[in-house]
Amino acid sequence: MKQLLPFLSLLTLPIAYATPAPATTVLFSTHSDGEAAQRGRLTGQVLSARREPVEGLSVALKGTSFGTMTGSDGQFRLSAPAGTYQLVVSGLGYATQELAVAVTGGETTVLPTIVAPASQQQLHGVTVTGSRTLNDQPVAIGKLPVRPLDLPQSIATIPQPVLEQQQTLRLSDVLANVSGVYVMGTTGGTQEELASRGFAMGSNNTFKNGARFNNGILPEVSSLESFEVLKGSAAILFGNVAAGGIVNLVTKKPRFAPGGSLGLRVGSFDFYKPMLDMYGAVGSSEHVAYRLNATYETARSFRDGVSSERVYANPSLLFKLGGKTEVLVEGDYLRDDRTPDYGVGAINYRLVNGPRGRFLGAGWVNNQTTQRSLSTTFSHRLNAAWQLRGLASYQGYDNDQLRISRPTNVQDNGDFARSAQRGGTMQDYFLGQIDLTGKFETGPLTHAVLVGADADKYNTTNLSYSSQAYDVINILRPENSPQRRTDTPTPALASRSHAPIRRAGAYAQDLVGLGEHLKLLAGVRYSYQESGTKKLTYKDNQLSQATPSYDDAFSPRFGVVYQPISTTSVFASYANSFTLNSGQDVHGGALAPSLFNQYEVGVKNDLFHGLLSANLTAYRIVNSNQAQTIQEFLAPGLRNPAFNPDRSDARELAGEVTSKGLELDVMSKPYQGWSFIAGYSYNHTAYTRSTLYKEGDLLRYNPSHTANLSAYYTVQNSPLKGLQGGLLAYYVGERQAGRNYRTLYDKNGHLTPDNRQLIALSAYAQLDATIGYSWQVLTLRLKAANLLNELSYNVHDDNSVNPIAPRNYAATLTYSF
C-alpha cells in the first residue's frame, strides 16, 4: 500500500492546475482563508409546476462564478461570500427564474421552495444528455443522498443510454463497463455467478431497487434504468454481505408525460425478443402515473440441443400524495425455461479439446424458474433538509431442475457414467426497511446523516430426489456411445428440508464536513441473525432438526475525504464486515462468523469542466479467520490438539485469505458526439495462512487482470445526423478453476497424496461492434459480438466447463411513441 501513495499523489498534480471550473461549479480554492470565514450557505429545492423535484437545473448567483446543479430530489446547496445577490435558476425546458437572496457569513439560509414552470418555447431536435458525472450522481443503493465524490468508497453507475447503445442482453454485457467486477462462472448455463475483488457475490450481494433478489436466474436487463455498483464493504448498510461489493439493478420508473417504445430484437441462433415499454399518467391524473415493461424471448444456442424461453413483466405505479409524499409500487415477474448445460467436460482436470457446440446432456433435461416480487417504497420530505424513506418488499423464487449429472469422474478414455438427477427450491423472502436522512449544522460543522433499521426473513424449502444410474457415454465421441439412452427418467423424492433465516439490523452514519476541504465519515451497524434447518427424509420418514444458531456482530466504518479543489477527492477508509459459516465447531455448536477487515485509498477526479471522470482505488481485504475442516495432523507426527475423533467433520476458524488490488475507472460525458468508458483492475487473492491449503495459492475464478474500453460516436448536424457507431473491448486475464490442492495426512500422520488440481484458464479479449441509425420515431441498431471469435470458458470446479459464445450478430428495431 505504501508503494501506491507516491503514484496517487502524482495523479493529483496535473489536476490542481487544471483550467478553472465553469459557472455551474462551486469554487472553493480561489479565496483566502479570511474570506472563506465570512462565507455563508444557501440551500433550497426546485419543483416543477406539478410539484415534482426537478433534477439538473443550474442554480447560480448572477455575475459570479458561484453555482451548482439541483439533485435528483430537486435540492441544491451552494456556498458564497456574505452579500446580496440575484439567484438565477435555469435549465432546458424550464422558464428562467430570478430572485433576490442574501448570504449571511457563517450561517445557512434556507430558501422558500422555488417553482420552475415549463418553458413555452418550442424545442425542435434537441437531445437531452445527462448532466451528472460519474462522481456527481448519488446511487440509490447508497441510501444517503450524497454524491460519490464526497464518499470514501469506489462507486460506479452505468446509465440507461449506455445500456441501449451497447444493446446489452445479460449482466455480463453490463459488467464489461465496470472494472473489478466479473463473471466467475455460469454453472449449468442457467445463471451468471458474479464476483468482485476476489469474493463471490451471491444473492446476499445482489439487489433490485434496493431489495435483495435471488441471482440463481439470469435477470432481465431490458428493464434497467441504471446499474449501480458499490465496491468494497457495504456491511454497514446491509449486514452480512461479501466483502467484494454489491450491485443494484434499478428498473425504469413511471412518468407523467405519455410515451414509450415497441421493439424487436433478432439474432444468431434463432433469437427473437419483442419488447414493450409504455408510460404516462393514469387517465388525466396529475397524481398517479404508471409504467409497464414487458418482453418475451425465445432462442436456440450454439450448443447442440440447448434452447431457452422466457417471459418478463415489470409494472409500476407512482402516487403523488401532495407535494412532499410519494408512494412507488413495483412488480416484477420472470419465468425462465432453459436447457441445463454443464459444458464440454474435463478429464483429470484437463479441458477437453472438442467441438464448441458438443452437448453432453439429454433431450429431456429442463430447468424451470419463476421469480416474482412486489415492493412498495414510501418517501416523505419532512422539509428541505430531512427525508423519511420506507421499503417493504416480497420476493418468491421457485426452481425445478431435471438434469443429467455433471461430467465429473470421467475416465481417461472419455467414458462418463451419467445419472439422472432432480432438485427443487422454493423460497419466500420478506424485507422491511426504514431510513431517515438529513443535513444540518453544528457550529462550523456540516452533517449528512443516515439512521435506519431493517429486518428480513427467508423461508427456503429444498427438495432432494434420489439419483438414478442412467447410462454411459463417451464425452470425446458421444455419438458413438452404444449405451446411450433417450427415455425420460422419474427420480423419486428423497427428502424435504426447510431452512428459515431471520435477520435484523440497525445502523447510523454521519458524513461530517470540517470546512470546505475535509470530510469525515463514521458509522456502525449492529446485525442479528438466527437460522436453523428441519429435514424430513422420506425413506424412513425421519425428521431431523439442526440446533438453531444465533449470531450477531458490529460492523464499523470510518473514512476521510480531502478535497483540495471542488472537483478532486483523495480518500482513505476502513470497514469491517462479516459472513456466516455453515457447519459446527468441535463442541457441536454453530461455527462463529468470519470477519473481514478492509482498507481502501483512492483519488476521484472530474476533469475538463466535468466532461471526464477518472477514479483510482487501491484496496486490501483480509479474512483473518476463514472456516476450514479441522485436520487431525498439522504435520507428520504433529497432532492437532483441536481435533476430536467424535466430531471428525468439525470446522475451525484457522485460515486466512488476503485480497489486494488496484482499480481504475474512467467515464466521459457526451461531447460533440463522442463518449467513452474505460477501466482496468488488478487483483491478487490468495491463502496467506491455512492448515489445509498451501500458503500463497491463489483462490479460484479470479482473473489477475481485467480491462475494458468502449468508444461511441453519434453524427451531429449533417445529412447523416442520427447515425452512431462504436466499439467495445473487454479483456479477462489468466485465472484458475478446478480445485485447490490440499495438504492431507492419514490416521498415522503420514502425508497422503491429494488428487485435486487447478485448471489454468488462458486470458482472452472480446471485441464487439455496434452501429445504429435513428430517424424520427424509428431506431435501428446492429451488433456484432465477439468479432475475433475468441474461445474461452467459464468453469466451475471441473464439472461445468461452459464455452463462451462464438461470433454472433443481432439487430434491434425500435418504434418510439
Side-chain angles (χ1 to χ4, degrees):
M1 193 66 65
K2 292 181 179 179
Q3 291 83 346
L4 292 172
L5 294 179
F7 179 62
L8 293 178
S9 62
L10 286 174
L11 187 67
T12 63
L13 286 177
I15 300 166
Y17 297 96
T19 304
T24 55
T25 303
V26 185
L27 299 183
F28 296 133
S29 58
T30 59
H31 302 278
S32 66
D33 292 341
E35 184 180 4
Q38 300 303 316
R39 284 177 148 193
R41 297 179 180 85
L42 296 176
T43 183
Q45 184 180 41
V46 181
L47 302 179
S48 68
R50 292 185 173 187
R51 311 298 294 181
E52 298 174 348
V54 182
E55 179 182 9
L57 292 187
S58 170
V59 182
L61 299 180
K62 193 173 183 177
T64 76
S65 61
F66 301 102
T68 186
M69 307 288 287
T70 58
S72 58
D73 54 2
Q75 296 186 26
F76 64 89
R77 180 186 181 92
L78 62 84
S79 174
T84 57
Y85 303 89
Q86 285 293 115
L87 185 75
V88 181
V89 180
S90 61
L92 189 63
Y94 291 90
T96 300
Q97 304 286 300
E98 286 195 25
L99 64 153
V101 296
V103 178
T104 304
E107 297 183 7
T108 295
T109 302
V110 180
L111 300 177
T113 299
I114 302 171
V115 177
S119 173
Q120 300 302 313
Q121 181 180 1
Q122 297 297 315
L123 302 177
H124 300 283
V126 176
T127 300
V128 181
T129 57
S131 60
R132 296 297 191 94
T133 70
L134 174 66
N135 294 321
D136 201 39
Q137 175 62 58
V139 291
I141 196 64
K143 298 186 178 181
L144 190 65
V146 173
R147 59 180 187 159
L149 194 69
D150 295 331
L151 293 174
Q153 185 171 18
S154 180
I155 299 172
T157 300
I158 307 301
Q160 181 187 352
V162 173
L163 303 178
E164 291 181 349
Q165 205 171 40
Q166 297 181 359
Q167 301 179 69
T168 53
L169 181 65
R170 300 287 180 248
L171 271 189
S172 53
D173 300 328
V174 182
L175 293 179
N177 299 286
V178 183
S179 70
V181 185
Y182 43 89
V183 173
M184 58 178 285
T186 57
T187 306
T190 61
Q191 59 181 320
E192 290 182 330
E193 301 156 297
L194 309 184
S196 175
R197 297 184 173 182
F199 299 97
M201 302 172 70
S203 295
N204 274 333
N205 289 61
T206 50
F207 295 77
K208 178 175 285 188
N209 297 321
R212 285 183 171 93
F213 79 95
N214 192 311
N215 65 1
I217 189 174
L218 297 167
E220 184 59 40
V221 171
S222 65
S223 67
L224 294 189
E225 186 172 88
S226 64
F227 178 81
E228 302 177 338
V229 181
L230 282 182
K231 299 180 185 179
S233 176
I236 190 173
L237 300 177
F238 300 102
N240 62 316
V241 293
I246 61 175
V247 299
N248 184 42
L249 284 66
V250 182
T251 58
K252 299 173 182 175
K253 308 305 180 188
R255 299 179 181 177
F256 282 91
S261 64
L262 185 64
L264 175 64
R265 177 169 179 164
V266 298
S268 301
F269 319 120
D270 293 335
F271 180 93
Y272 300 95
K273 184 171 187 173
M275 300 170 285
L276 171 67
D277 178 18
M278 56 189 300
Y279 49 82
V282 175
S284 58
S285 174
E286 295 186 355
H287 303 285
V288 185
Y290 76 94
R291 190 155 194 166
L292 174 63
N293 289 283
T295 66
Y296 171 77
E297 179 184 312
T298 180
R300 289 197 294 177
S301 171
F302 70 96
R303 303 278 296 152
D304 301 332
V306 174
S307 62
S308 62
E309 181 181 30
R310 53 196 273 138
V311 178
Y312 176 77
N314 171 218
S316 57
L317 287 171
L318 175 64
F319 299 89
K320 294 279 189 178
L321 308 179
K324 295 185 177 181
T325 305
E326 294 182 1
V327 176
L328 176 63
V329 181
E330 298 175 280
D332 209 71
Y333 173 86
L334 175 61
R335 179 177 174 85
D336 184 282
D337 294 351
R338 63 184 57 243
T339 306
D341 173 19
Y342 293 98
V344 298
I347 300 176
N348 292 329
Y349 297 95
R350 298 191 309 274
L351 299 181
V352 173
N353 184 18
R356 197 175 201 156
R358 178 181 287 164
F359 178 56
L360 303 180
W364 44 262
V365 299
N366 190 34
N367 183 85
Q368 297 181 342
T369 305
T370 301
Q371 190 173 49
R372 57 207 176 275
S373 67
L374 179 65
S375 66
T376 300
T377 304
F378 169 86
S379 301
H380 178 68
R381 292 186 299 276
L382 301 172
N383 53 42
W386 290 89
Q387 179 174 346
L388 186 66
R389 183 178 182 272
L391 172 64
S393 176
Y394 163 78
Q395 177 193 258
Y397 175 88
D398 298 308
N399 173 262
D400 184 21
Q401 186 179 86
L402 183 62
R403 62 182 180 269
I404 280 290
S405 56
R406 303 182 186 187
T408 185
N409 296 323
V410 179
Q411 301 301 308
D412 290 343
N413 66 352
D415 283 349
F416 165 43
R418 302 194 301 179
S419 60
Q421 300 176 345
R422 185 178 180 184
T425 299
M426 296 172 288
Q427 185 181 85
D428 294 310
Y429 175 65
F430 303 88
L431 167 68
Q433 175 183 292
I434 188 166
D435 295 311
L436 176 66
T437 59
K439 298 180 180 180
F440 64 95
E441 298 178 0
T442 55
L445 305 181
T446 63
H447 301 265
V449 174
L450 165 68
V451 179
D454 55 33
D456 61 1
K457 178 175 69 172
Y458 279 101
N459 289 326
T460 304
T461 300
N462 292 307
L463 303 179
S464 177
Y465 293 78
S466 299
S467 179
Q468 296 180 357
Y470 188 65
D471 64 6
V472 177
I473 68 167
N474 189 283
I475 69 170
L476 303 177
R477 298 170 298 278
E479 65 281 358
N480 297 330
S481 303
Q483 301 182 44
R484 190 167 193 170
R485 292 168 52 180
T486 59
D487 57 301
T488 303
T490 56
L493 183 62
S495 64
R496 176 191 298 263
S497 62
H498 179 62
I501 298 176
R502 294 175 177 83
R503 297 184 291 210
Y507 43 91
Q509 179 177 284
D510 188 7
L511 179 66
V512 183
L514 291 81
E516 303 294 349
H517 306 294
L518 187 64
K519 293 180 173 65
L520 300 178
L521 179 69
V524 66
R525 176 190 177 96
Y526 171 75
S527 299
Y528 171 81
Q529 175 166 318
E530 59 181 57
S531 59
T533 302
K534 296 180 180 179
K535 182 177 181 180
L536 176 63
T537 304
Y538 287 92
K539 181 178 180 179
D540 51 16
N541 204 31
Q542 291 294 311
L543 178 65
S544 60
Q545 182 170 348
T547 302
S549 62
Y550 307 92
D551 296 291
D552 64 348
F554 285 94
S555 301
R557 181 186 187 188
F558 305 98
V560 58
V561 180
Y562 175 66
Q563 296 172 333
I565 58 176
S566 62
T567 56
T568 296
S569 291
V570 180
F571 70 88
S573 69
Y574 163 79
N576 178 272
S577 61
F578 69 97
T579 57
L580 300 181
N581 291 308
S582 60
Q584 297 180 331
D585 61 23
V586 70
H587 304 293
L591 200 63
S594 292
L595 301 179
F596 295 75
N597 290 307
Q598 176 162 310
Y599 309 87
E600 189 168 343
V601 297
V603 57
K604 301 179 183 181
N605 300 291
D606 281 342
L607 308 172
F608 310 114
H609 307 311
L611 289 177
L612 183 69
S613 298
N615 301 339
L616 180 66
T617 305
Y619 61 86
R620 179 182 177 88
I621 306 171
V622 181
N623 175 7
S624 57
N625 54 356
Q626 188 189 35
Q628 296 181 173
T629 303
I630 299 179
Q631 302 299 301
E632 183 175 1
F633 288 89
L634 300 176
L638 178 60
R639 192 177 184 88
N640 187 349
F643 181 77
N644 184 347
D646 296 329
R647 295 188 178 275
S648 58
D649 60 344
R651 309 183 75 198
E652 62 178 343
L653 303 179
E656 181 181 84
V657 169
T658 300
S659 168
K660 54 187 177 182
L662 187 74
E663 295 167 348
L664 173 67
D665 287 290
V666 180
M667 179 181 290
S668 77
K669 294 171 63 176
Y671 178 70
Q672 295 185 354
W674 287 98
S675 63
F676 72 90
I677 300 173
Y680 166 77
S681 74
Y682 165 75
N683 175 261
H684 183 275
T685 304
Y687 293 101
T688 47
R689 186 181 71 248
S690 180
T691 58
L692 184 60
Y693 299 104
K694 183 180 178 180
E695 295 181 11
D697 276 2
L698 298 177
L699 269 68
R700 301 170 296 166
Y701 312 130
N702 303 302
S704 297
H705 305 273
T706 67
N708 60 280
L709 174 64
S710 65
Y712 288 84
Y713 177 70
T714 301
V715 177
Q716 300 178 332
N717 303 321
S718 80
L720 295 178
K721 181 179 180 180
L723 180 66
Q724 60 179 224
L727 294 174
L728 187 152
Y730 183 55
Y731 172 82
V732 178
E734 295 179 352
R735 60 212 188 283
Q736 300 177 125
R739 294 176 173 86
N740 286 87
Y741 177 86
R742 300 169 301 172
T743 303
L744 302 175
Y745 299 92
D746 62 21
K747 62 181 180 180
N748 297 315
H750 299 143
L751 183 67
T752 61
D754 184 27
N755 61 0
R756 293 188 173 192
Q757 300 177 40
L758 291 170
I759 300 175
L761 302 175
S762 59
Y764 73 96
Q766 182 168 317
L767 180 66
D768 298 348
T770 69
I771 188 170
Y773 181 71
S774 297
W775 180 75
Q776 295 184 357
V777 296
L778 293 176
T779 300
L780 176 64
R781 290 188 173 95
L782 307 176
K783 180 176 183 178
N786 195 5
L787 274 174
L788 304 179
N789 203 31
E790 285 282 296
L791 174 62
S792 188
Y793 302 88
N794 290 304
V795 184
H796 181 85
D797 290 339
D798 64 332
N799 52 42
S800 188
V801 184
N802 299 93
I804 65 173
R807 184 186 301 113
N808 61 92
Y809 307 92
T812 305
L813 180 64
T814 304
Y815 167 75
S816 300
F817 52 85

